[in-house]
Amino acid sequence: SVTTQSRNSLRLRFYGTGPALGRLLDRLAGEQWKADLMREDRTLQEELAAVTGYDDRETRLIAAARARFDWPALTQSTAATIAGLESLRRAQRDSILAAPGIELVIDASAVGGMGMCGIDPQNLLQAGQGVLLHRRWVRPCVGKALDAEFTTPVVQDQQAGTVRAVIGDDSTLHWTAGGAPLAVPDGVRLAEVRDLLVEAPAATVRAPHASLERSGRTVTVRVLP
């Protein structure tokens, strides 16, 4: 009910104040404020403060602090630290996927990307732009199109809409389609599989509609609408 009461709803109030701030900025700075806001990633309030000089004192203090603490050197050392951490996380990712066994890739790009029905935040690491390491347990899902659970480390690529993990030896995996056993030898390519179920020591995957292919030890399941 908060969103229906103008006295209580910040969102509804902003429908009026937002355009008012925009008109005020037009009067003060012309069209340039829009480009500045986007470039500096500011809110309307922050842009108004910059245009009117409200935050000039803050800007001077920031400049003084950067001069005092040798901002270029600090920036360089911080960048080196971040680069080292990124290198470490890439090594962790590569180590996870280099483990012996079948590497399962679930690709949900055809259904809008991967959702998450459960994560373990204490065992979650970022390993690059949009790449996450789930080090213990995760449950990927996509509505009714996918329900999966992993009890082993998983690499998630948010931009690609994929998760991948080593789920066990060939002899320990059980594949079925519509309840019937499904053979998944090297080189197999199945354009359409109905009611796919993958059962492994470290994973369970259910996909009502998918394609499947295997190349070497890597099996790719593409979730279909």
Side-chain angles (χ1 to χ4, degrees):
S1 63
V2 168
T3 60
T4 65
Q5 300 175 20
S6 59
R7 290 181 301 173
N8 298 333
S9 172
L10 176 63
R11 178 179 175 182
L12 290 181
R13 291 201 302 273
F14 197 74
Y15 288 155
T17 60
L21 287 172
R23 292 193 66 181
L24 181 57
L25 284 162
D26 284 342
R27 292 280 298 275
L28 293 170
E31 291 291 322
Q32 183 58 37
W33 72 266
K34 300 173 185 178
D36 292 343
L37 179 142
M38 296 299 294
R39 184 184 64 254
E40 301 296 336
D41 193 24
R42 293 170 176 157
T43 65
L44 281 175
Q45 291 89 340
E46 289 169 341
E47 184 64 24
L48 183 60
V51 165
T52 59
Y54 180 82
D55 58 0
D56 282 353
R57 180 175 180 273
E58 178 184 353
T59 301
R60 290 195 301 271
L61 290 173
I62 290 173
R66 289 183 173 183
R68 178 181 177 186
F69 293 105
D70 193 358
W71 184 255
L74 183 60
T75 300
Q76 187 175 15
S77 66
T78 302
T81 299
I82 293 172
L85 181 58
E86 289 176 338
S87 177
L88 173 62
R89 295 289 169 80
R90 283 194 298 270
Q92 288 176 295
R93 177 196 62 196
D94 294 344
S95 176
I96 287 171
L97 298 179
I102 296 298
E103 178 187 7
L104 177 65
V105 181
I106 302 178
D107 183 344
S109 58
V111 290
M114 192 76 62
M116 287 292 154
C117 285
I119 63 171
D120 178 359
Q122 291 186 330
N123 285 282
L124 178 63
L125 297 174
Q126 187 166 354
Q129 186 67 35
V131 178
L132 303 176
L133 302 183
H134 301 269
R135 296 189 297 167
R136 190 187 68 87
W137 173 85
V138 69
R139 188 182 165 201
C141 60
V142 184
K144 295 182 179 181
L146 173 70
D147 185 13
E149 184 173 13
F150 293 86
T151 55
T152 191
V154 170
V155 177
Q156 178 188 3
D157 189 325
Q158 294 175 303
Q159 295 178 342
T162 63
V163 295
R164 57 181 63 218
V166 178
I167 60 172
D169 186 75
D170 244 328
S171 62
T172 66
L173 273 58
H174 185 214
W175 306 79
T176 60
L182 178 67
V184 186
D186 185 15
V188 69
R189 297 176 65 92
L190 303 175
E192 187 175 45
V193 180
R194 293 288 182 176
D195 296 324
L196 175 67
L197 173 62
V198 184
E199 296 175 294
T204 303
V205 179
R206 293 179 174 85
H209 190 204
S211 67
L212 184 150
E213 63 180 88
R214 177 171 176 176
S215 176
R217 75 183 192 105
T218 301
V219 179
T220 301
V221 173
R222 292 184 174 86
V223 182
L224 302 177

mmCIF file of all heavy atoms in Angstrom, residues 85-86 89-90 92 124-134 158:
data_model
loop_
_atom_site.group_PDB
_atom_site.id
_atom_site.type_symbol
_atom_site.label_atom_id
_atom_site.label_comp_id
_atom_site.label_asym_id
_atom_site.label_seq_id
_atom_site.Cartn_x
_atom_site.Cartn_y
_atom_site.Cartn_z
ATOM 1 N N LEU A 85 44.866 -10.755 -7.311
ATOM 2 C CA LEU A 85 43.687 -11.488 -6.862
ATOM 3 C C LEU A 85 42.957 -12.115 -8.049
ATOM 4 O O LEU A 85 42.514 -13.271 -7.978
ATOM 5 C CB LEU A 85 42.751 -10.546 -6.105
ATOM 6 C CG LEU A 85 41.461 -11.159 -5.547
ATOM 7 C CD1 LEU A 85 41.762 -12.311 -4.601
ATOM 8 C CD2 LEU A 85 40.623 -10.093 -4.857
ATOM 9 N N GLU A 86 42.866 -11.373 -9.153
ATOM 10 C CA GLU A 86 42.224 -11.921 -10.349
ATOM 11 C C GLU A 86 42.974 -13.139 -10.864
ATOM 12 O O GLU A 86 42.372 -14.127 -11.290
ATOM 13 C CB GLU A 86 42.145 -10.841 -11.431
ATOM 14 C CG GLU A 86 41.143 -9.738 -11.117
ATOM 15 C CD GLU A 86 41.156 -8.634 -12.159
ATOM 16 O OE1 GLU A 86 42.193 -8.498 -12.868
ATOM 17 O OE2 GLU A 86 40.155 -7.904 -12.261
ATOM 18 N N ARG A 89 42.179 -16.075 -8.633
ATOM 19 C CA ARG A 89 40.829 -16.608 -8.860
ATOM 20 C C ARG A 89 40.760 -17.378 -10.185
ATOM 21 O O ARG A 89 40.045 -18.377 -10.290
ATOM 22 C CB ARG A 89 39.821 -15.465 -8.845
ATOM 23 C CG ARG A 89 39.707 -14.774 -7.481
ATOM 24 C CD ARG A 89 39.018 -15.657 -6.451
ATOM 25 N NE ARG A 89 39.125 -15.113 -5.108
ATOM 26 C CZ ARG A 89 38.349 -14.133 -4.618
ATOM 27 N NH1 ARG A 89 37.434 -13.571 -5.374
ATOM 28 N NH2 ARG A 89 38.500 -13.739 -3.368
ATOM 29 N N ARG A 90 41.493 -16.909 -11.207
ATOM 30 C CA ARG A 90 41.529 -17.655 -12.467
ATOM 31 C C ARG A 90 42.153 -19.023 -12.257
ATOM 32 O O ARG A 90 41.703 -20.028 -12.814
ATOM 33 C CB ARG A 90 42.309 -16.878 -13.528
ATOM 34 C CG ARG A 90 41.545 -15.719 -14.145
ATOM 35 C CD ARG A 90 42.228 -15.221 -15.412
ATOM 36 N NE ARG A 90 43.564 -14.714 -15.150
ATOM 37 C CZ ARG A 90 43.837 -13.453 -14.840
ATOM 38 N NH1 ARG A 90 42.844 -12.572 -14.747
ATOM 39 N NH2 ARG A 90 45.076 -13.060 -14.632
ATOM 40 N N GLN A 92 42.095 -20.710 -9.457
ATOM 41 C CA GLN A 92 41.103 -21.510 -8.743
ATOM 42 C C GLN A 92 40.053 -22.054 -9.701
ATOM 43 O O GLN A 92 39.661 -23.225 -9.621
ATOM 44 C CB GLN A 92 40.429 -20.654 -7.663
ATOM 45 C CG GLN A 92 41.321 -20.334 -6.478
ATOM 46 C CD GLN A 92 40.638 -19.418 -5.485
ATOM 47 O OE1 GLN A 92 40.327 -18.262 -5.800
ATOM 48 N NE2 GLN A 92 40.383 -19.912 -4.296
ATOM 49 N N LEU A 124 31.112 -18.281 -1.870
ATOM 50 C CA LEU A 124 30.947 -17.687 -3.181
ATOM 51 C C LEU A 124 32.051 -16.666 -3.423
ATOM 52 O O LEU A 124 32.285 -15.787 -2.600
ATOM 53 C CB LEU A 124 29.576 -17.008 -3.261
ATOM 54 C CG LEU A 124 29.234 -16.275 -4.562
ATOM 55 C CD1 LEU A 124 29.189 -17.240 -5.737
ATOM 56 C CD2 LEU A 124 27.899 -15.553 -4.415
ATOM 57 N N LEU A 125 32.739 -16.797 -4.561
ATOM 58 C CA LEU A 125 33.823 -15.892 -4.909
ATOM 59 C C LEU A 125 33.601 -15.334 -6.302
ATOM 60 O O LEU A 125 33.056 -16.022 -7.172
ATOM 61 C CB LEU A 125 35.178 -16.614 -4.884
ATOM 62 C CG LEU A 125 35.655 -17.183 -3.558
ATOM 63 C CD1 LEU A 125 36.940 -17.974 -3.782
ATOM 64 C CD2 LEU A 125 35.880 -16.081 -2.532
ATOM 65 N N GLN A 126 34.033 -14.101 -6.524
ATOM 66 C CA GLN A 126 34.026 -13.524 -7.858
ATOM 67 C C GLN A 126 35.365 -13.816 -8.507
ATOM 68 O O GLN A 126 36.421 -13.608 -7.909
ATOM 69 C CB GLN A 126 33.782 -12.021 -7.802
ATOM 70 C CG GLN A 126 33.584 -11.396 -9.177
ATOM 71 C CD GLN A 126 33.013 -9.999 -9.118
ATOM 72 O OE1 GLN A 126 32.662 -9.518 -8.054
ATOM 73 N NE2 GLN A 126 32.933 -9.350 -10.252
ATOM 74 N N ALA A 127 35.321 -14.279 -9.768
ATOM 75 C CA ALA A 127 36.548 -14.688 -10.449
ATOM 76 C C ALA A 127 36.699 -14.001 -11.788
ATOM 77 O O ALA A 127 37.234 -14.573 -12.732
ATOM 78 C CB ALA A 127 36.556 -16.203 -10.634
ATOM 79 N N GLY A 128 36.237 -12.777 -11.897
ATOM 80 C CA GLY A 128 36.317 -12.046 -13.141
ATOM 81 C C GLY A 128 34.990 -11.371 -13.431
ATOM 82 O O GLY A 128 34.037 -11.480 -12.662
ATOM 83 N N GLN A 129 34.931 -10.666 -14.556
ATOM 84 C CA GLN A 129 33.724 -9.939 -14.921
ATOM 85 C C GLN A 129 32.578 -10.917 -15.170
ATOM 86 O O GLN A 129 32.552 -11.628 -16.161
ATOM 87 C CB GLN A 129 33.978 -9.110 -16.185
ATOM 88 C CG GLN A 129 32.826 -8.201 -16.572
ATOM 89 C CD GLN A 129 32.600 -7.087 -15.556
ATOM 90 O OE1 GLN A 129 33.552 -6.589 -14.970
ATOM 91 N NE2 GLN A 129 31.358 -6.708 -15.360
ATOM 92 N N GLY A 130 31.637 -10.967 -14.245
ATOM 93 C CA GLY A 130 30.475 -11.824 -14.407
ATOM 94 C C GLY A 130 30.731 -13.296 -14.153
ATOM 95 O O GLY A 130 29.842 -14.128 -14.391
ATOM 96 N N VAL A 131 31.916 -13.666 -13.664
ATOM 97 C CA VAL A 131 32.245 -15.071 -13.396
ATOM 98 C C VAL A 131 32.272 -15.299 -11.881
ATOM 99 O O VAL A 131 32.981 -14.597 -11.155
ATOM 100 C CB VAL A 131 33.600 -15.462 -14.013
ATOM 101 C CG1 VAL A 131 33.938 -16.916 -13.681
ATOM 102 C CG2 VAL A 131 33.570 -15.260 -15.521
ATOM 103 N N LEU A 132 31.504 -16.278 -11.429
ATOM 104 C CA LEU A 132 31.400 -16.587 -10.009
ATOM 105 C C LEU A 132 31.843 -18.025 -9.752
ATOM 106 O O LEU A 132 31.572 -18.925 -10.559
ATOM 107 C CB LEU A 132 29.955 -16.413 -9.522
ATOM 108 C CG LEU A 132 29.317 -15.037 -9.724
ATOM 109 C CD1 LEU A 132 27.858 -15.075 -9.284
ATOM 110 C CD2 LEU A 132 30.077 -13.970 -8.953
ATOM 111 N N LEU A 133 32.505 -18.222 -8.626
ATOM 112 C CA LEU A 133 32.876 -19.567 -8.181
ATOM 113 C C LEU A 133 32.000 -19.945 -7.001
ATOM 114 O O LEU A 133 32.053 -19.315 -5.940
ATOM 115 C CB LEU A 133 34.345 -19.613 -7.760
ATOM 116 C CG LEU A 133 35.401 -19.213 -8.779
ATOM 117 C CD1 LEU A 133 36.791 -19.396 -8.182
ATOM 118 C CD2 LEU A 133 35.257 -20.018 -10.059
ATOM 119 N N HIS A 134 31.178 -20.957 -7.184
ATOM 120 C CA HIS A 134 30.404 -21.530 -6.089
ATOM 121 C C HIS A 134 31.214 -22.723 -5.578
ATOM 122 O O HIS A 134 31.277 -23.762 -6.241
ATOM 123 C CB HIS A 134 29.026 -21.976 -6.582
ATOM 124 C CG HIS A 134 28.216 -20.867 -7.180
ATOM 125 N ND1 HIS A 134 27.350 -20.092 -6.427
ATOM 126 C CD2 HIS A 134 28.137 -20.398 -8.452
ATOM 127 C CE1 HIS A 134 26.760 -19.200 -7.218
ATOM 128 N NE2 HIS A 134 27.229 -19.359 -8.439
ATOM 129 N N GLN A 158 27.852 -15.461 -15.760
ATOM 130 C CA GLN A 158 26.565 -14.779 -15.818
ATOM 131 C C GLN A 158 26.282 -14.214 -17.196
ATOM 132 O O GLN A 158 25.139 -14.204 -17.644
ATOM 133 C CB GLN A 158 26.528 -13.665 -14.769
ATOM 134 C CG GLN A 158 26.579 -14.178 -13.333
ATOM 135 C CD GLN A 158 26.663 -13.055 -12.327
ATOM 136 O OE1 GLN A 158 27.569 -12.239 -12.368
ATOM 137 N NE2 GLN A 158 25.713 -13.013 -11.404
#
